Amino acid sequence: MAEEKLNPFPAVARSVIERHLPLGQIRASSDSKRFASQPEDDLVVSNGVLTLAFDSSTGVIKSITEQHEGGISVSVTQEYGYYKSFHTPQDATTQFESGDSLKGDGMCLRNEMPWLLGTAQTWQNGGAYIFRPTPDQSFQVIPPKIFPSSVVVYESDLVTEVHAEFGDPAWIKQITRLIDGKDYVDVEYVVGPVPINDAVGKEVVSRYSTTIENDGIFFTDTNGRQFMKRKRGDPKVFGYDTPDFDPKLEPTSGNYYPVNTAMFIEDQSRSFCVLVDRSQGGSSLSDGSVELMIQRRLLHDDARGVGEPLNETDIGITPCPPYGDATRIGTGAIIKGTHRLMIGTKGANQARSQMDQAFSQPHIFVASAPRDVDIPFHQPGLSMLRASLPENVMIVTYTALDEEGNTFLIRLAHQYDIDESNIHSLPAHVNLQDLFPNQDIVSVTEKTLSANQDRSDWEKRRYKWNDYMKEEQSDDARLGLQTNVVVLKPFEILTFEISVSPFK
């Protein structure tokens, strides 16, 4: 079959792509080449939207620049490194005092205050539940491999890839991928096995350092929804009604926060955002920097209930006592992940545009068959939508509630908060009929978020705190049930039970 440029997947869809490859020609279609230059020259690649500069001797990113008129440029220094995990020397003696975070009894906190109290500072190991670097808090940089004469670059009409390796011997490999016409950069990393021949547990981190002046402020998301403002060294990190937390107690881990889908920093004119494809811990430990923990391999238990070090291996573990000694078998695990980098003038707006795509990418299934076998595809593609949704709306739930497929639970979410975008933070209109291209809607009932009761019943029982709440529009007016068009306000999630006719 002739080569073709593929269109993006619809929001809820299946597409089948069939390719005939001559025998012996199953290989990458892109061309591989070596970029040779003088050491002082940068390797520069572009996709029509962004221009990237790389260190030509290592393949590591140096800057990202928007190509449009008035576009911004952000200098980026990329590093991989690790923190050494703290552990108590085996010959050390520990004295436990009343009120300490007692070792091994599950009492991690006292009065819901930080876990590192009293004599716990002498014995609290880093482990599965506890991120605690050694007292020097030093970041051990893993040097990139120097290519004496050239860097590997793969190019095609759709994508350009620049490859890099880190460590000696290399135990981190990276592909920086620039896709034609896209406003982001994908950094795919493969980490492992994390070396432990030095008997040191390692918390492996990817760090991006920029010239953005964020003044200790950075933003992380909460479960893919609201962005939370974080401040480095915040003494009120445990709440404004609690005693101050000493930032010097744990200056690294004390500034780490969960990152479920995105983290960004910004100043008055520029922003730098990193989207993740899985939950990670992240921080900005110095102005202009964003770092994310991508792998952990530890050699000591933190006495928080697991009863073993966080040391994953590729084969497994022998039985635990009393049936075995819980010995790890094989070499360290190898993981692969992707960071999606974006620049702009407003971090939240940039992050929202790609958060869902980066975290929940389409599933790809591959099968093969002899050339002379006719594969009975009824149709090469299928979309569950009659028309595209607004760019600021996501289908969260699309579930059949009966075997006949005539009743569905639907949740729609507005993906932008107030003031995050001049365009996408506006209310969004969705015609529910567009979700059922081959069936007619018979009835629509709005439910509460958990879908355990009708919203109209809940509204009647809801206490009205003030006159404003009493003056809210009725259900029918708000939902537009006569036309099946609903309106989602910024960050609103609406839940519906929808009955439809049989398939046409």
Side-chain angles (χ1 to χ4, degrees):
M1 296 180 66
E3 283 293 318
E4 57 183 293
K5 193 167 183 177
L6 303 178
N7 294 320
F9 283 103
V12 181
R14 169 184 64 82
S15 291
V16 177
I17 303 165
E18 187 177 359
R19 290 286 184 268
H20 289 170
L21 297 177
L23 187 63
Q25 197 176 347
I26 303 177
R27 56 180 298 275
S29 61
S30 57
D31 295 326
S32 169
K33 69 177 183 179
R34 294 274 180 174
F35 176 84
S37 67
Q38 298 299 319
E40 65 271 13
D41 293 338
D42 287 339
L43 165 62
V44 179
V45 299
S46 173
N47 68 348
V49 178
L50 298 175
T51 296
L52 270 63
F54 295 83
D55 186 311
S56 62
S57 63
T58 62
V60 176
I61 298 175
K62 294 181 67 175
S63 69
I64 306 173
T65 304
E66 293 178 325
Q67 289 188 230
H68 64 78
E69 183 177 354
I72 68 168
S73 179
V74 176
S75 297
V76 180
T77 301
Q78 186 192 6
E79 296 176 311
Y80 288 96
Y82 61 88
Y83 297 103
K84 298 179 181 178
S85 183
F86 176 85
H87 72 279
T88 307
Q90 291 185 355
D91 58 352
T93 58
T94 58
Q95 298 293 326
F96 301 104
E97 298 175 357
S98 175
D100 278 350
S101 299
L102 298 182
K103 186 175 182 179
D105 68 355
M107 296 176 58
C108 299
L109 306 179
R110 181 184 67 179
N111 297 328
E112 297 186 2
M113 285 297 293
W115 47 265
L116 199 55
L117 297 171
T119 59
Q121 297 183 50
T122 66
W123 57 255
Q124 179 60 71
N125 294 339
Y129 288 104
I130 301 296
F131 168 36
R132 189 187 183 192
T134 52
D136 60 11
Q137 307 284 313
S138 61
F139 182 73
Q140 308 293 316
V141 176
I142 304 168
K145 178 179 178 181
I146 304 295
F147 294 89
S149 59
S150 59
V151 167
V152 178
V153 179
Y154 289 84
E155 288 184 317
S156 74
D157 293 337
L158 295 179
V159 65
T160 300
E161 295 183 352
V162 180
H163 292 228
E165 297 180 2
F166 299 79
D168 185 19
W171 55 278
I172 297 179
K173 297 182 179 180
Q174 172 182 287
I175 300 174
T176 303
R177 189 172 288 118
L178 190 61
I179 302 173
D180 184 54
K182 299 298 183 181
D183 62 348
Y184 57 80
V185 182
D186 279 345
V187 178
E188 182 181 284
Y189 52 84
V190 177
V191 180
V194 177
I196 54 172
N197 54 330
D198 55 1
V200 173
K202 298 174 177 65
E203 314 269 9
V204 184
V205 166
S206 176
R207 176 185 288 177
Y208 306 90
S209 299
T210 74
T211 53
I212 291 175
E213 300 174 357
N214 61 309
D215 194 26
I217 303 296
F218 56 103
F219 296 82
T220 64
D221 71 290
T222 56
N223 292 329
R225 299 297 290 170
Q226 186 177 13
F227 278 108
M228 301 294 292
K229 182 179 179 180
R230 313 294 191 182
K231 182 172 178 59
R232 186 171 61 248
D234 184 2
K236 293 296 185 182
V237 65
F238 288 97
Y240 286 91
D241 58 348
T242 61
D244 287 357
F245 173 68
D246 182 3
K248 298 179 181 178
L249 187 64
E250 286 292 330
T252 300
S253 60
N255 283 296
Y256 258 67
Y257 294 87
V259 179
N260 299 118
T261 56
M263 174 180 172
F264 68 86
I265 56 175
E266 61 186 3
D267 55 24
Q268 295 299 318
S269 60
R270 299 173 302 165
S271 66
F272 177 76
C273 174
V274 182
L275 307 175
V276 298
D277 61 354
R278 69 205 66 190
S279 294
Q280 297 176 337
S283 185
S284 176
L285 296 179
S286 61
D287 278 0
S289 73
V290 171
E291 66 176 60
L292 292 149
M293 186 178 296
I294 57 176
Q295 176 63 319
R296 311 176 73 205
R297 191 178 186 188
L298 310 179
L299 305 179
H300 299 274
D301 180 40
D302 58 6
R304 298 290 159 175
V306 175
E308 62 177 276
L310 185 63
N311 179 18
E312 294 180 280
T313 53
D314 57 0
I315 296 180
I317 189 172
T318 62
C320 294
Y323 307 103
D325 55 2
T327 299
R328 282 286 170 182
I329 307 172
T331 59
I334 298 175
I335 62 100
K336 181 173 74 171
T338 301
H339 286 162
R340 181 162 292 180
L341 314 183
M342 304 187 75
I343 62 172
T345 58
K346 206 169 183 180
N349 186 31
Q350 294 297 122
R352 293 288 180 203
S353 67
Q354 285 292 324
M355 284 169 63
D356 299 322
Q357 292 90 326
F359 191 83
S360 301
Q361 297 185 21
H363 294 289
I364 299 175
F365 301 90
V366 179
S368 62
R371 176 184 293 273
D372 56 355
V373 173
D374 183 24
I375 302 174
F377 292 130
H378 294 289
Q379 56 188 51
L382 170 68
S383 176
M384 297 298 291
L385 301 178
R386 186 176 65 180
S388 296
L389 292 172
E391 292 184 11
N392 53 0
V393 174
M394 178 183 181
I395 297 177
V396 177
T397 304
Y398 194 120
T399 302
L401 297 179
D402 58 8
E403 294 182 358
E404 293 76 19
N406 294 331
T407 305
F408 290 84
L409 181 67
I410 301 293
R411 286 190 183 91
L412 300 174
H414 195 299
Q415 295 299 87
Y416 282 73
D417 205 349
I418 297 173
D419 295 331
E420 288 185 343
S421 168
N422 294 332
I423 299 174
H424 297 119
S425 289
L426 298 174
H429 295 71
V430 177
N431 188 336
L432 297 177
Q433 184 62 66
D434 289 341
L435 277 61
F436 303 94
N438 300 309
Q439 296 170 285
D440 294 325
I441 289 180
V442 175
S443 65
V444 177
T445 304
E446 185 177 11
K447 312 290 284 188
T448 56
L449 183 63
S450 58
N452 66 346
Q453 57 186 312
D454 292 352
R455 175 158 180 162
S456 59
D457 293 339
W458 174 78
E459 290 281 5
K460 293 175 184 177
R461 298 191 303 271
R462 183 184 183 188
Y463 184 78
K464 302 299 188 291
W465 290 95
N466 51 45
D467 291 339
Y468 170 76
M469 294 182 67
K470 295 177 182 178
E471 296 173 358
E472 284 186 336
Q473 288 181 308
S474 67
D475 238 10
D476 289 349
R478 192 171 71 84
L479 297 178
L481 294 181
Q482 301 302 318
T483 60
N484 293 324
V485 175
V486 298
V487 180
L488 289 93
K489 294 175 289 188
F491 248 27
E492 189 173 31
I493 301 176
L494 297 181
T495 306
F496 304 98
E497 184 177 301
I498 302 177
S499 296
V500 295
S501 64
F503 277 94
K504 297 177 182 179

